[in-house]
Amino acid sequence: MNSCFFGGGSILLPNCDLSAWSTIACDQFTSDDSYWAEVAAMAEGRPSAYHITLPEIYLKEGEASVEQRIASINRTMRQYLSDGLFRAYPDAMIYLERTLADGRVRKGLLGLVDLEQYDYHRGASSYIRATEETVLERIPPRVKIRRGAALELPHLMLLLDDPNRELIEVLSERKDAYTPVYGFDLMMHSGHLSGFLLDEQARDYVSQVMLRFSDPAYFQDKYATDASPLVFAVGDGNHSLASAKECYEALKQTLGAEAAAHHPARYALAELVNLHDPSLDFEPIYRLISGVELDTLLAFLRQQAPDFHGGGSKPGEISLYFQSELERRTLSIPVPSGMLPVSVLQPLLDQFLSAHPEASIDYIHGLDTIRALAKEPGNIAITFQGMQKADLFPGLLQGGVLPRKTFSMGHAEDKRFYLEARRILPEAAL
């Protein structure tokens, strides 16, 4: 690691069929059993990240089943290490090119972040911060996995506000000087992924840029603020990063701060992406309510917020759109300038779910997906307009974290796939 908070480390790449190995982030397709059944079939009998991660769709199986899956994950990780499945690249950073299904190319940089410089709590002043409210109940299951895990596989994507394209785009111009380490088609028609090992010159350049971006004077001039530098905003995987942080803090209590500072679990592997990458789209994450009637939900919302009215929005208002089977309704409400629809909706849904334990909520990526789910009996789809990505960093500086599940970076198929791994237990502990 460099003296800042993002740098190189020992990265493991599997020696196997990467198209079968690499699987999508665990928090995708959480209502699509058929997707994960197909992934399971493709991974059966083969080395695969599927066997050492826990897709969230399986959390609904209950605690006993989840515990069995976690135990299997931990055994399989150790078996893969024992079998010599991985090739290690010491002090490595990898320049990435992800060709999306629509042909666009997203550029990224894989390296290690220092968890000492990350804080997911509201009001944080660390270099690395959450973009959205962290749901504390979602951390313990991930902590259970990481606590006994020998490896981490990242689906983290961190965002850098780099409109002048001073880092990743500069690295991409020297791509031909780097060593290619992989290039393959991702499963389930999710595009292509290529990786290139940075040379020493490129790694030094990364350190220089990170030190400049984290300089308080540079940051305060850039944003016209007196706030502490915010250099990375967590775009995807905040709960996984928060779990890594919790495990590291627990290590401090067990080993002591000095010993923990030299433990591999102090760091987490993550991909860095420029917020201004042309292929990076911000899309809203919609809400799917199940187990109640549409009229029950709408009556509750109007009771809690009497300013709601039916029909389309006027200037200074936002609209929420509801669909249940063939029925469609709209509620609009006046809001302060710049307020997001999800900022109005989510607190009301939290109250509704507390008052109606028979109801449940899911968070859905993709307009087509949620509209299809809305046609199923018992489901209510809620859609709304999303935020613009250029508003992210200024918004975080003004108001702290956004409501949970405010936005998604692109379609579900475009999310980061598990591929690279890193030891988070010392070899002596294996």
Side-chain angles (χ1 to χ4, degrees):
M1 288 288 294
N2 60 35
S3 59
C4 191
F5 52 91
F6 183 86
S10 181
I11 296 176
L12 305 177
L13 294 178
N15 294 305
C16 62
D17 177 0
L18 295 183
S19 293
W21 169 269
S22 189
T23 59
I24 202 167
C26 65
D27 57 352
Q28 301 304 304
F29 298 102
T30 53
S31 296
D32 191 344
D33 293 278
S34 63
Y35 180 94
W36 288 106
E38 192 168 347
V39 173
M42 296 173 70
E44 186 175 2
R46 312 167 80 174
S48 177
Y50 173 79
H51 301 306
I52 54 174
T53 57
L54 181 57
E56 290 188 1
I57 196 168
Y58 299 132
L59 295 179
K60 64 186 180 184
E61 294 177 342
E63 186 175 351
S65 176
V66 169
E67 291 289 347
Q68 290 177 359
R69 286 185 179 274
I70 291 174
S72 175
I73 286 168
N74 291 337
R75 287 194 305 271
T76 306
M77 283 183 176
R78 285 168 167 78
Q79 188 62 53
Y80 284 167
L81 286 167
S82 175
D83 292 345
L85 179 66
F86 299 101
R87 179 178 178 183
Y89 294 83
D91 195 27
M93 282 190 278
I94 297 176
Y95 166 70
L96 309 168
E97 289 186 345
R98 168 75 179 274
T99 304
L100 306 178
D102 63 7
R104 293 183 298 169
V105 176
R106 185 176 69 221
K107 300 173 182 178
L109 178 64
L110 188 76
L112 269 63
V113 291
D114 186 351
L115 294 173
E116 286 282 0
Q117 305 299 340
Y118 164 67
D119 188 347
Y120 61 83
H121 296 94
R122 184 179 292 274
S125 58
S126 52
Y127 288 140
I128 310 166
R129 303 177 206 171
T131 52
E132 299 178 346
E133 179 187 355
T134 302
V135 185
L136 299 181
E137 309 89 75
R138 295 183 63 192
I139 295 178
R142 288 172 162 86
V143 168
K144 281 185 180 179
I145 298 171
R146 191 175 179 95
R147 185 184 293 126
L151 300 169
E152 65 169 0
L153 282 80
H155 71 266
L156 304 171
M157 286 183 62
L158 307 180
L159 301 175
L160 179 71
D161 188 10
D162 184 14
N164 297 324
R165 294 164 170 78
E166 298 179 56
L167 179 61
I168 295 172
E169 291 78 5
V170 171
L171 296 174
S172 72
E173 294 172 359
R174 296 190 64 248
K175 181 179 70 173
D176 292 344
Y178 311 147
T179 303
V181 285
Y182 51 75
F184 64 99
D185 290 334
L186 294 161
M187 64 168 61
M188 306 292 283
H189 311 291
S190 298
H192 187 86
L193 184 61
S194 299
F196 305 84
L197 197 65
L198 295 194
D199 57 20
E200 184 176 1
Q201 179 183 349
R203 294 196 304 272
D204 289 343
Y205 179 74
V206 173
S207 297
Q208 294 168 21
V209 173
M210 290 296 99
L211 290 171
R212 183 167 75 255
F213 273 47
S214 60
D215 178 72
Y218 176 91
F219 176 84
Q220 291 166 3
D221 181 66
K222 178 178 179 179
Y223 292 101
T225 181
D226 59 359
S228 300
L230 163 62
V231 186
F232 296 159
V234 183
D236 271 340
N238 182 65
H239 288 91
S240 292
L241 193 58
S243 302
K245 175 75 169 182
E246 289 302 305
C247 287
Y248 172 57
E249 293 298 327
L251 272 177
K252 286 185 183 180
Q253 299 299 316
T254 339
L255 303 179
E258 185 175 349
H262 301 285
H263 195 283
R266 172 177 171 173
Y267 304 99
L269 201 56
E271 180 180 351
L272 180 61
V273 176
N274 185 4
L275 176 65
H276 303 277
D277 188 304
S279 74
L280 190 65
D281 296 325
F282 269 28
E283 297 182 359
I285 300 178
Y286 303 116
R287 273 56 176 165
L288 185 74
I289 303 295
S290 304
V292 292
E293 296 294 328
L294 177 58
D295 286 341
T296 303
L297 174 60
L298 294 179
F300 181 91
L301 296 178
R302 284 182 143 162
Q303 180 183 22
Q304 299 301 314
D307 288 341
F308 269 126
H309 64 84
S313 60
K314 304 169 185 176
E317 296 183 337
I318 57 96
S319 293
L320 303 172
Y321 307 97
F322 300 80
Q323 179 183 348
S324 180
E325 298 187 60
L326 298 179
E327 186 174 3
R328 299 189 182 195
R329 305 277 286 278
T330 300
L331 289 182
S332 299
I333 191 170
V335 296
S337 176
M339 191 170 191
L340 299 172
V342 71
S343 297
V344 175
L345 176 63
Q346 189 61 49
L348 294 172
L349 290 182
D350 290 341
Q351 295 175 45
F352 178 79
L353 293 167
S354 178
H356 293 267
E358 74 277 15
S360 61
I361 188 170
D362 200 358
Y363 300 91
I364 305 298
H365 305 80
L367 198 55
D368 291 341
T369 301
I370 196 165
R371 283 176 174 168
L373 290 168
K375 295 176 182 177
E376 299 178 6
N379 285 345
I380 303 169
I382 311 175
T383 59
F384 39 81
Q385 185 176 357
M387 68 177 290
Q388 300 298 309
K389 66 180 184 179
D391 297 332
L392 177 62
F393 274 66
L396 292 173
L397 291 172
Q398 290 176 10
V401 296
L402 304 170
R404 65 185 180 275
K405 297 288 187 180
T406 295
F407 67 91
S408 171
M409 297 189 298
H411 299 294
E413 295 84 356
D414 299 336
K415 296 298 179 179
R416 191 174 208 285
F417 272 55
Y418 298 112
L419 170 60
E420 308 89 353
R422 189 180 74 89
R423 291 179 185 267
I424 53 174
L425 284 179
E427 290 191 44
L430 298 177

